[in-house]
Amino acid sequence: MILVLKKEATQNEIKHVVNEISKLGFTAHTIKGETKSVIGIIGNSDKSKLTALKTYSFVDSLVAVSKPYKLAARSSKEESTIINVDGIQIGKNSFFIIGGPCSVENKEQILKSATIVANNNAHMLRGGAYKPRTSPYSFQGLEEEGLKLLAEAKKKTNLPIVTELLSASNINLVDKYADIIQIGARNMQNFSLLKELGKTKKPIILKRGLSATIDEFLMSAEYIMSVGNYNIILCERGIRTFETAYRNTLDLNAIPTLKKLTHLPVIVDPSHGTGKTELVIPMSKAAIAAGADGLMIEMHPNPVEAFSDGPQSLNPDEFKTLMKEITPFIKVAGKTLS
C-alpha cells in the first residue's frame, strides 16, 4: 500500500503517521517527491486496518500497489528519482558517463585511466578492486590496495569513484573509498548482501543478472529499498541468449520498460552488453536514444595488455571519439551532460 500525503503535510504529521503505521504492525518507508511525499507501507498484517489512516486531514489517498516491488514502482513516486553524487545529478534530464578499466592493475594504469576520463569530460571513474571471475585462476583484483589506488586517482582528478562489492564482509571497507557501490550481475540475487546494502546510504549501481527478468531485477532493487536505502541506479548490461556473435545481448527494450515501471535512474553498460569494442559506440548511441540516464564504459590505456575484459575496452582515442559522437544524441534526447 502507498499512503499519499498532501503537499502541506508537516514533518511532525509525517512522523506521527509513521508511528501509527508501525503500531498497526507494518513498516513505513517515507519517499519524498518534488510535489508531494508518499509513505510505502510494507507488511503482512491485516491491510483493512490501514483504512483509518485516510481520516487524517494531511492524507490525500491510500493506494494499493499491484506490483510486487512496492517502493521501486513508478506508482509509489510519480516523478523520477534524482541522485546527487558530488554535485553530479543522476536521473531525470541529466546524463552522465562512467569510464575506466575493468580492473585496477597498478598505480600507473589507474592514474593514467583517471586522467583520460577526466580530460574527456566524463563524470566518474570506474575500476574493480575485487573482481568476480569465471575462473578461480584469473586475476581477482588488488583488493584494499586497489581501493587505495582509486582514492589516489580521485585525489588527482576529483572524479567520484565507482567500484564493485562482492561480499558483505567488505561493505565497510568499500563504503570508505567508493562514491557509488556497484553490485555486479552475479550478485544481483544475493539477497543477504542486498539487505546489508540497504543499511547504508551510499548510492548503489545494481546490474541486471545474466538471465534475470525485469520483475526479478526490480525485486532485487526492492530488497535494498526495503531496508532503507533508496539511492539505487539500475544498470542494463546485457543478458545471456542463444546468440554467439557477441558476448551478451544488450536488451534495449529494458530501458523504456524500466522507465515506465520504476522511478529509479537507468543506465547502460554497452561494454559488457556486447563484449566487442566495435559495438560499444553504436550501442551507446542506441541506449541514449532509448532513454538511458547514463553510460558505464570500459576504457583502458592499452586494452591489449588489460588483465581483464580487454576485447571490450575502448582505448583512449576510441573513448575520445565516443564522448564526441554521443553529445548530439544526448541533446536530441532532451538531456544535458551532468
Side-chain angles (χ1 to χ4, degrees):
M1 302 289 283
I2 297 293
L3 191 68
V4 183
L5 306 180
K6 293 180 180 178
K7 184 178 181 180
E8 58 269 22
T10 67
Q11 288 301 313
N12 284 336
E13 288 171 333
I14 294 173
K15 184 177 179 181
H16 174 74
V17 78
V18 165
N19 288 335
E20 290 301 307
I21 291 169
S22 180
K23 290 178 183 178
L24 293 172
F26 296 88
T27 301
H29 296 267
T30 303
I31 303 174
K32 295 186 178 297
E34 295 177 3
T35 58
K36 57 187 175 184
S37 296
V38 302
I39 299 176
I41 304 173
I42 309 297
N44 296 317
S45 297
D46 182 5
K47 291 181 174 56
S48 65
K49 300 176 184 178
L50 299 172
T51 57
L53 300 174
K54 295 190 289 184
T55 62
Y56 288 109
S57 61
F58 54 86
V59 170
D60 183 72
S61 59
L62 181 66
V63 182
V65 179
S66 60
K67 299 293 184 183
Y69 40 90
K70 310 299 183 184
L71 302 174
R74 174 71 72 174
S75 55
S76 73
K77 186 170 179 281
E78 293 178 3
E79 61 268 18
S80 297
T81 289
I82 300 174
I83 299 172
N84 188 302
V85 179
D86 284 6
I88 299 167
Q89 298 292 312
I90 301 171
K92 203 171 181 179
N93 296 323
S94 59
F95 195 89
F96 78 111
I97 296 99
I98 304 167
C102 175
S103 305
V104 179
E105 299 168 0
N106 53 60
K107 181 176 179 177
E108 179 184 5
Q109 173 249 15
I110 197 61
L111 292 183
K112 188 171 183 179
S113 297
T115 299
I116 294 165
V117 171
N119 287 348
N120 284 284
N121 299 314
H123 304 89
M124 300 184 190
L125 175 68
R126 61 154 292 154
Y130 299 87
K131 294 305 303 175
R133 306 300 299 279
T134 302
S135 169
Y137 309 113
S138 299
F139 177 63
Q140 303 291 312
L142 298 179
E143 301 183 344
E144 186 173 4
E145 178 59 28
L147 294 173
K148 290 178 179 179
L149 292 177
L150 285 168
E152 189 172 343
K154 179 179 181 179
K155 186 176 181 180
K156 178 181 179 181
T157 61
N158 291 319
L159 291 172
I161 297 302
V162 179
T163 195
E164 186 168 356
L165 173 70
L166 298 186
S167 168
S169 62
N170 291 323
I171 284 182
N172 291 335
L173 181 62
V174 173
D175 184 74
K176 176 182 174 182
Y177 291 96
D179 296 287
I180 298 180
I181 297 174
Q182 174 185 314
I183 297 300
R186 292 174 178 84
N187 268 323
M188 189 208 81
Q189 290 184 307
N190 184 341
F191 300 128
S192 60
L193 175 60
L194 300 182
K195 286 190 285 188
E196 289 301 313
L197 285 168
K199 299 174 184 178
T200 76
K201 297 302 179 185
K202 189 65 60 80
I204 308 296
I205 288 179
L206 179 65
K207 285 195 164 188
R208 183 181 179 186
L210 277 72
S211 302
T213 65
I214 294 295
D215 275 5
E216 289 169 340
F217 190 19
L218 289 173
M219 286 306 298
S220 290
E222 192 78 7
Y223 261 94
I224 301 172
M225 299 179 77
S226 69
V227 187
N229 185 352
Y230 312 132
N231 298 311
I232 300 169
I233 303 156
L234 302 173
C235 182
E236 165 59 38
R237 48 81 68 206
I239 55 176
R240 182 165 290 169
T241 68
F242 57 82
E243 186 54 70
T244 58
Y246 26 80
R247 180 175 180 178
N248 294 299
T249 298
L250 187 60
D251 183 12
L252 294 179
N253 295 315
I255 304 168
T257 301
L258 289 168
K259 284 290 187 177
K260 180 179 179 180
L261 295 176
T262 181
H263 53 85
L264 299 172
V266 180
I267 67 171
V268 172
D269 176 354
S271 300
H272 282 91
T274 64
K276 292 193 173 186
T277 301
E278 65 269 22
L279 297 178
V280 171
I281 293 179
M283 296 311 290
S284 294
K285 295 173 182 176
I288 296 167
D293 296 304
L295 296 171
M296 178 180 283
I297 305 293
E298 290 199 350
M299 187 284 306
H300 193 285
N302 188 356
V304 175
E305 297 182 355
F307 287 9
S308 57
D309 287 351
Q312 66 190 38
S313 298
L314 301 184
N315 64 35
D317 288 339
E318 290 166 335
F319 189 72
K320 183 177 181 179
T321 298
L322 166 83
M323 294 300 295
K324 179 181 178 181
E325 291 190 2
I326 64 173
T327 300
F329 284 82
I330 294 169
K331 185 177 180 180
V332 169
K335 296 180 181 291
T336 58
L337 286 170
S338 296

